[in-house]
Amino acid sequence: MSYDIYFVSRLDGQSWDEVPEEMEDAAEHSEPIPPHLLEAWDRIVPQARTLLGEVEITEYEQESRDLSHSGTGIDLSIFGDEVNITVPYWHAGDDAEVALGQVSALAAVIEKETGLTAYDPQTERPLTETPPGGSIELMSRISEDLRSRYGG
């Protein structure tokens, strides 16, 4: 389980309620990564390294790109024209605040480099409109719940 952030291109007049449905439709059509996203990837990676430190990069031809940070579990993926960040529910309290702060900073880089908008499906609104305290509380609560159920 992970806290997810999706990057979307919202059409003028499109409500945020319609975004998840459009993402599901797009996920059914797997295609190579568009050139503009490959170019953005090349600009994002050095900035992500500045934010996160050492990261592992996995590239599979024109199909996918993945950037993983082992310390936080933050993962940035591009698959076809889908871009997303995930962070596992490992973090609670101050650790959640730090991890989600890094996610927000990375999301801002991705928005700048791709022109896409970071969408938080947990709160069903753009990441920039999601109160940080609510995200931190949600991550903390779920992380602690999972620990109590499964140990750790």
Side-chain angles (χ1 to χ4, degrees), residues 2-112:
S2 61
Y3 197 103
D4 304 323
I5 303 296
Y6 302 124
F7 293 84
V8 298
S9 179
R10 193 175 113 196
L11 304 172
D12 285 341
Q14 182 182 31
S15 76
W16 284 107
D17 294 336
E18 296 171 306
V19 169
E21 186 177 307
E22 186 174 306
M23 289 179 350
E24 286 178 26
D25 293 342
E28 295 175 8
H29 304 90
S30 177
E31 296 181 11
I33 299 172
H36 73 279
L37 285 181
L38 288 172
E39 292 166 8
W41 174 260
D42 291 338
R43 295 187 304 271
I44 292 166
V45 168
Q47 295 175 71
R49 285 187 168 124
T50 299
L51 286 169
L52 301 172
E54 188 174 330
V55 294
E56 183 177 325
I57 305 293
T58 305
E59 299 181 351
Y60 181 71
E61 299 178 8
Q62 299 292 100
E63 307 303 315
S64 67
R65 299 289 185 270
D66 190 76
L67 179 146
S68 299
H69 182 250
S70 63
T72 59
I74 293 171
D75 188 82
L76 163 62
S77 298
I78 300 178
F79 184 77
D81 62 354
E82 296 176 41
V83 181
N84 64 62
I85 295 174
T86 60
V87 60
Y89 285 111
W90 296 348
H91 311 283
D94 291 344
D95 289 341
E97 183 176 359
V98 169
L100 289 173
Q102 290 173 314
V103 166
S104 291
L106 182 57
V109 168
I110 295 164
E111 285 183 322
K112 179 184 75 166

